[in-house]
């Protein structure tokens, strides 16, 4: 009888301790910066040579985590952005993935090209070359805006190496109004006399990403501008990227790749900023209807596109990828 009482006491204490341990873990996970503070790693800078119509060009990329890890995650940025946008996410995911974040041609630290070469055929060829270089049998892909558009086109191909696709506020439709806005806001050869002015510009243009600490905006700005010889700053992309849109804005029409999207046969996760004007609620509903492999998570209070620089965004992606392992 005494033995049974002792056993009951021990079990009761164990349950209390178990509850406290899990409660403490839940509290820690919910704290801002948890994923970055517990998994933070440094990236390695690398590059390879892609080939275009007029010769070879350098494609720069950052790699996080172990180079020997067979679990590969490729993260591809938006139209005028670069791979540094994924620094927070990549660091947080590098405990389980080898994370690769390229700067597509004309952005960041990759080569600038003649304007006629810029376009999806070149971007897709460079992405395929990078995937081959990584020597991975399969990989997961996270794409913001243009990067998601690329991901859909590659995921729809026969024998695609893409295993799972995360779309960050992008669907199979790009509205002409969106491209005209890009033509208006971007590619204007902006110059900033001081870095502080560059930070203010970046914060105003990308405010739709959501609330970020000022220190984080400083980090975003550092990777969004390049210092010129006179000490001023310019944006870290080739203005020629925008030239085709500026040539005749009135002629720009909607672009839709519904047949490509419908042919994708892998799991997809869509993060949709509820305030986004780039990806409307109507398009999201149509995406659900046209492909049963899509799961949607609404990100409240955010436009185009969720920054992927806060723990909640990281948690959404980690949980989804983990469940599908």
């Amino acid at each position: 009888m005494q033995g049974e009482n002792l056993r009951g006491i021990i079990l009761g204490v164990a349950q209390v301790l178990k509850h406290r341990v899990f409660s403490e873990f839940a509290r820690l996970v919910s704290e801002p910066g948890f994923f970055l503070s517990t998994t933070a790693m440094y990236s390695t800078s690398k590059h390879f040579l892609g080939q275009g119509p007029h010769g070879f060009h350098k494609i720069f990329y950052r790699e996080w985590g172990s180079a020997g890890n067979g679990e590969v995650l490729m993260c591809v940025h938006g139209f005028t952005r670069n791979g540094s946008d994924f620094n927070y996410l990549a660091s947080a995911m590098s405990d389980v993935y080898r994370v690769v974040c390229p700067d597509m041609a004309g952005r960041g630290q990759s080569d600038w090209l003649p304007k006629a070469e810029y376009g999806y055929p070149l971007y897709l060829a460079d992405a395929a070359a990078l995937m081959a270089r990584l020597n991975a049998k399969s990989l997961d892909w996270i794409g913001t805006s243009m990067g998601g558009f690329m991901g859909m086109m590659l995921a729809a191909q026969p024998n695609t190496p893409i295993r799972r696709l995360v779309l960050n506020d992008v669907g199979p439709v790009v509205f002409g109004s969106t491209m005209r806005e890009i033509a208006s806001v971007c590619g204007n050869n902006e110059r900033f006399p001081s870095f502080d002015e560059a930070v203010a510009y970046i914060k105003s243009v990308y405010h739709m990403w959501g609330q970020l600490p000022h220190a984080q905006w400083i980090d975003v700005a550092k990777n969004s501008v390049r210092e010129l010889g006179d000490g001023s700053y310019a944006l870290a992309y080739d203005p020629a990227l925008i030239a085709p849109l500026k040539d005749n804005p009135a002629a720009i029409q909607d672009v839709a790749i519904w047949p490509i999207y419908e042919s994708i046969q892998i799991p997809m996760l869509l993060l949709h900023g509820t305030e986004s004007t780039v990806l409307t609620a109507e398009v999201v509903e149509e995406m659900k209807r046209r492909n049963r492999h899509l799961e949607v998570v609404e990100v409240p209070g955010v436009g185009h596109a969720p920054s992927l620089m806060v723990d909640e965004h990281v948690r959404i992606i980690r949980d989804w990828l983990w469940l599908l392992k």
Side-chain angles (χ1 to χ4, degrees):
M1 191 69 176
Q2 288 180 343
E4 288 184 5
N5 288 339
L6 181 60
R7 179 173 178 274
I9 292 171
I10 293 173
L11 287 175
V13 171
Q15 286 297 111
V16 170
L17 290 175
K18 179 180 177 182
H19 175 73
R20 287 180 178 175
V21 168
F22 279 108
S23 296
E24 179 64 11
F25 178 74
R27 183 188 66 79
L28 289 172
V29 168
S30 65
E31 288 185 353
F34 170 80
F35 287 115
L36 190 62
S37 64
T38 55
T39 64
M41 300 179 74
Y42 293 102
S43 64
T44 303
S45 297
K46 299 183 178 182
H47 74 272
F48 70 96
L49 292 177
Q51 187 178 20
H54 297 95
F56 290 94
H57 54 269
K58 181 189 77 174
I59 295 295
F60 172 90
Y61 65 98
R62 298 168 183 82
E63 186 171 314
W64 306 74
S66 170
N69 189 350
E71 293 289 324
V72 176
L73 177 64
M74 187 177 292
C75 304
V76 183
H77 56 77
F79 188 59
T80 60
R81 301 300 306 157
N82 61 68
S84 67
D85 284 350
F86 297 100
N87 285 353
Y88 190 95
L89 176 71
S91 181
M93 301 293 284
S94 61
D95 59 333
V96 291
Y97 277 102
R98 176 188 181 191
V99 189
V100 178
C101 308
D103 294 350
M104 302 312 296
R107 290 90 166 168
Q109 299 184 52
S110 290
D111 283 347
W112 291 13
L113 308 177
K115 71 177 183 179
E117 293 193 25
Y118 292 125
Y120 283 101
L122 180 81
Y123 306 151
L124 296 174
D126 286 343
L130 178 53
M131 288 191 284
R133 177 182 174 87
L134 298 175
N135 197 31
K137 292 181 179 179
S138 64
L139 54 82
D140 296 332
W141 181 290
I142 299 176
T144 296
S145 200
M146 180 188 80
F149 217 69
M150 291 171 57
M152 285 185 281
M153 288 188 275
L154 291 169
Q157 295 295 316
N159 304 312
T160 180
I162 299 178
R163 180 177 54 178
R164 291 171 294 205
L165 176 61
V166 179
L167 302 171
N168 187 23
D169 204 61
V170 61
V173 178
V174 179
F175 294 111
S177 57
T178 297
M179 291 185 279
R180 284 190 289 273
E181 183 177 357
I182 291 172
S184 172
V185 174
C186 302
N188 297 319
N189 291 301
E190 291 87 350
R191 294 291 185 270
F192 310 103
S194 70
F195 180 70
D196 286 345
E197 290 177 77
V199 173
Y201 172 85
I202 293 298
K203 192 172 182 179
S204 66
V205 170
Y206 298 108
H207 67 277
M208 71 288 283
W209 287 4
Q211 294 293 324
L212 294 175
H214 184 66
Q216 209 155 9
W217 283 117
I218 291 175
D219 286 340
V220 172
K222 284 179 181 177
N223 294 303
S224 300
V225 299
R226 51 195 171 88
E227 187 171 4
L228 304 178
D230 62 359
S232 65
Y233 295 84
L235 296 172
Y237 66 82
D238 184 357
L241 292 170
I242 321 297
L245 300 179
K246 287 183 175 293
D247 289 344
N248 190 5
I252 297 174
Q253 298 180 347
D254 296 351
V255 175
I257 56 168
W258 284 115
I260 291 174
Y261 171 76
E262 290 170 350
S263 68
I264 297 173
Q265 298 297 312
I266 61 170
M268 292 181 286
L269 172 68
L270 171 64
L271 275 66
H272 176 224
T274 57
E275 307 302 316
S276 177
T277 58
V278 173
L279 180 63
T280 64
E282 291 77 15
V283 171
V284 173
E285 289 303 313
E286 191 69 6
M287 290 174 71
K288 292 178 186 177
R289 189 182 71 81
R290 293 198 187 205
N291 196 311
R292 62 182 178 84
H293 300 289
L294 181 72
E295 181 177 343
V296 178
V297 174
E298 301 286 350
V299 184
V302 174
H304 182 77
S307 68
L308 309 187
M309 298 176 190
V310 296
D311 282 350
E312 181 57 28
H313 302 169
V314 174
R315 189 178 295 109
I316 291 167
I317 293 171
R318 279 182 70 108
D319 288 351
W320 184 77
L321 291 171
W322 181 259
L323 285 172
L324 292 178
K325 276 187 175 292

